[in-house]
Amino acid sequence: MRVTTASLVSASLLLGHASAALPPIIMKGTKFFYENGTQFYVKGVAYQQDSAAGGASTGSNKYADPLANAEACKRDVPLLKALKTNTIRTYAVDPNGDHDACMKLLDAAGIYVISDLSEPSLSINRDDPLWDVDLFKRYTGVVDNLSKYSNVIGFFAGNEVTNNATNTPASAYVKAAVRDTKSYIKKNVNRWMGVGYAANDDPEIRAEIAHYFNCGEQSDAIDYWGYNIYEWCGKSTIKDSGYDKQVEFFRDYSVPVFFAEYGCNLPNGANDRIWEETTALYSKEMTDVISGGIVYMYFQEENDYGLVSVKGSSASTMKNYDALQTRMASIAPTSTEMDSYKPTNSPAACPPIAKDWAVKGGSLPPTPDASLCDCMFSSLSCIPADDLAPKAFGGVFGFICEKPELCVGINGNTTSGVYGAYSMCSARQKLGFVLDQYYQAQNSASDACDFKGQATLQKNGGAQSKCSAALSSASSANAIAATATSAEGAGGAATSSNAAAAPGQMKGLFVLGDVVVGLYVVVAMGVGAGMVLL
């Protein structure tokens, strides 16, 4: 174990203060480049405490923003620089945080940032996915905060959200997030910043998910693909680890590919890692296709993947830090000049619906639109009572949505690619929509907007003139969705014997098309309000 010294910190910081801002990284075809045309390879380290490997949960909704802790950055950036790190990955940052000090230190050390856009309590849930106004606000907030720093390469819209064949519908919602974040960047940022996806290596769906995020309109598709891959453990080879198969699979991919996490800690824990895979990753056998990788991870924690042991204000490097430092010092990947590089790869074809893939290509959930949701809610006659607690929403949803036609406007079906216009609204707004649908279906009967005091008539309910065009468009979209849903039902789509949730039950299920739709019920323990759709 080697302890950092004051001289290392001082020398690094003094050198950094003399440095100019880093030039932005740009993408061309399957490669990254500096603005001067020199190829850029990701030489990264995951940098965030309490972030589990491989998309696993730490069991906590709290997070510590690593880019808002100036003292920690002063302690750690010199150690990252000494590893020849040129990129860090962060998993959750505060969109309202002050990142100036850390970003300046990173910039001075020649280090770029790729950050995940979500945070533990506000992310796309693989089992109950949705893409709504709250998530969109979170994602664009991170973009707004970090886009002013030239050393931000881009973002991940999701990290292993779909991680096996049972939760492939979640990918539609992540791709919608990719589409909308890319569009937001294009409109609001005057330089390229990428939006990608970080995936695990599940053998059942590895091909489908990689093709899905790359297929179709490229304004909807990822800018780069990140792989969380832990297949090379200890002594191995490119062939034995399966790295050769990754290279062959992505040889025809049309956007850059890099390892978003790597660094298997088997068989003897983090400190015995010898980093043979790092040498392989930057060898000619891989660099034609793979643009580097991000080591998991900087901090030594209970999961035993660390390079550095941190206690309070002090940091001590571990044996595997030294091993990685030696490896990184010896790599010299072949470089391609941007001007002479002529991309030839084309986007993939979208995977077809199959037993292990329940997402239709070419159709995505709608873009979250807070103003449309507000217009819709203000137009309703029957709405939730002001004092109705979120935990009570499920019972009302369950009762009304026993008639699925009343809930088409808030639901989505990833296999048919049909999504209600209001599926991106808040839980309260969605509840208002279905309450009003029920009320209208009951011919506005005097007792049809009560639900034992859980609903009430809205005074002056009705569309404002500024809302008429948007509401008309949404109504048309919902009519199409209703027609498609009816056609599916008539064609023998799957049905369910599960009863809708009675008041007090946690979740009711009904079937829309051939996908079971989960009615989200907010539980008081901080899951966040929203109706999530599978």
Side-chain angles (χ1 to χ4, degrees):
M1 178 179 293
R2 180 167 50 81
V3 181
T4 62
T5 64
S7 60
L8 175 60
V9 175
S10 176
S12 178
L13 293 179
L14 285 173
L15 177 63
H17 285 308
S19 301
L22 288 172
I25 299 301
I26 55 180
M27 180 194 83
K28 181 180 180 181
T30 63
K31 303 183 188 301
F32 295 117
F33 295 92
Y34 293 99
E35 283 186 330
N36 67 4
T38 301
Q39 188 173 356
F40 177 86
Y41 287 97
V42 175
K43 300 172 185 175
V45 175
Y47 182 72
Q48 185 146 7
Q49 292 181 282
D50 299 319
S51 58
S57 172
T58 62
S60 172
N61 284 334
K62 296 180 179 179
Y63 68 94
D65 182 347
L67 300 181
N69 189 335
E71 292 304 311
C73 288
K74 290 177 184 177
R75 177 195 67 205
D76 298 332
V77 168
L79 289 173
L80 289 164
K81 182 177 180 180
L83 280 175
K84 297 191 179 299
T85 302
N86 68 9
T87 307
I88 62 169
R89 177 184 177 184
T90 59
Y91 293 84
V93 299
D94 182 356
N96 299 309
D98 181 356
H99 301 129
D100 287 352
C102 282
M103 292 305 294
K104 183 176 180 180
L105 288 166
L106 290 164
D107 185 287
I111 298 174
Y112 291 83
V113 174
I114 297 175
S115 184
D116 289 39
L117 290 164
S118 62
E119 54 106 335
S121 65
L122 202 55
S123 60
I124 299 172
N125 185 320
R126 65 171 61 100
D127 296 315
D128 287 309
L130 79 163
W131 174 236
D132 68 358
V133 289
D134 290 334
L135 281 167
F136 189 43
K137 182 179 179 180
R138 157 78 197 182
Y139 278 40
T140 57
V142 174
V143 171
D144 288 342
N145 186 290
L146 295 183
S147 61
K148 59 181 174 285
Y149 305 111
S150 66
N151 59 327
V152 174
I153 296 172
F155 309 96
F156 285 123
N159 182 61
E160 299 193 17
V161 180
T162 290
N163 65 353
N164 60 54
T166 70
N167 48 46
T168 61
S171 286
Y173 296 87
V174 180
K175 192 168 181 179
V178 170
R179 173 200 63 198
D180 295 335
T181 306
K182 286 180 60 170
S183 177
Y184 186 84
I185 290 171
K186 186 176 181 179
K187 292 176 182 176
N188 295 282
V189 182
N190 61 4
R191 66 179 179 89
W192 181 85
M193 289 196 303
V195 183
Y197 178 71
N200 69 321
D201 185 33
D202 184 275
E204 289 186 290
I205 59 167
R206 61 161 66 108
E208 288 82 359
I209 193 169
H211 289 156
Y212 176 72
F213 278 98
N214 181 235
C215 75
E217 294 292 333
Q218 290 302 283
S219 57
D220 299 346
I222 53 168
D223 293 313
Y224 45 76
W225 177 259
Y227 238 143
N228 298 339
I229 187 164
Y230 294 84
E231 300 304 318
W232 188 312
C233 300
K235 285 190 170 294
S236 190
T237 65
I238 289 177
K239 182 178 180 179
D240 290 344
S241 65
Y243 275 24
D244 60 333
K245 292 181 174 62
Q246 301 294 345
V247 170
E248 286 308 307
F249 178 83
F250 286 106
R251 192 171 296 281
D252 296 324
Y253 215 57
S254 68
V255 298
V257 177
F258 60 93
F259 290 175
E261 290 177 7
Y262 78 95
C264 175
N265 63 356
L266 300 176
N268 299 315
N271 223 14
D272 279 343
R273 292 186 291 189
I274 57 178
W275 301 111
E276 283 186 346
E277 67 268 46
T278 299
T279 299
L281 183 57
Y282 298 97
S283 69
K284 182 62 176 175
E285 292 175 275
M286 297 191 68
T287 54
D288 283 347
V289 176
I290 309 296
S291 294
I294 297 172
V295 167
Y296 189 83
M297 64 171 296
Y298 182 83
F299 296 97
Q300 173 66 352
E301 297 183 328
E302 187 176 349
N303 62 7
D304 192 23
Y305 278 93
L307 296 165
V308 175
S309 178
V310 172
K311 292 185 179 180
S313 60
S314 65
S316 301
T317 61
M318 298 168 60
K319 185 176 71 172
N320 78 122
Y321 172 101
D322 297 333
L324 180 62
Q325 186 178 43
T326 299
R327 293 281 181 179
M328 293 302 297
S330 67
I331 65 171
T334 303
S335 181
T336 298
E337 288 300 314
M338 184 166 62
D339 288 345
S340 61
Y341 170 56
K342 308 298 182 186
T344 57
N345 292 354
S346 300
C350 292
I353 299 295
K355 176 174 66 73
D356 293 334
W357 190 256
V359 190
K360 180 181 179 180
S363 182
L364 294 172
T367 299
D369 184 342
S371 62
L372 173 61
C373 295
D374 290 343
C375 281
M376 177 271 287
F377 196 79
S378 69
S379 74
L380 304 177
S381 297
C382 184
I383 62 171
D386 289 343
D387 60 353
L388 184 63
K391 65 182 180 181
F393 289 7
V396 184
F397 276 127
F399 175 79
I400 295 175
C401 292
E402 284 185 332
K403 296 182 180 297
E405 66 272 14
L406 298 181
C407 298
V408 168
I410 63 167
N411 287 323
N413 185 319
T414 63
T415 55
S416 66
V418 176
Y419 302 91
Y422 302 124
S423 60
M424 46 72 187
C425 296
S426 72
R428 183 175 181 81
Q429 290 167 331
K430 289 177 184 177
L431 185 60
F433 176 80
V434 301
L435 281 168
D436 198 69
Q437 290 286 294
Y438 179 85
Y439 179 66
Q440 303 300 335
Q442 299 298 314
N443 297 314
S444 305
S446 59
D447 60 348
C449 184
D450 183 66
F451 287 85
K452 296 183 178 180
Q454 296 181 105
T456 186
L457 291 173
Q458 179 170 221
K459 295 179 180 179
N460 301 318
Q464 304 172 24
S465 58
K466 67 178 182 179
C467 294
S468 57
L471 291 176
S472 176
S473 178
S475 179
S476 297
N478 287 338
I480 293 171
T483 300
T485 301
S486 296
E488 286 177 353
T495 59
S496 172
S497 60
N498 292 309
Q505 285 186 293
M506 286 295 294
K507 183 180 289 187
L509 297 174
F510 65 93
V511 168
L512 178 60
D514 54 358
V515 177
V516 176
V517 180
L519 289 177
Y520 178 84
V521 179
V522 179
V523 273
M525 290 121 61
V527 178
M531 182 174 180
V532 254
L533 307 172
L534 180 62

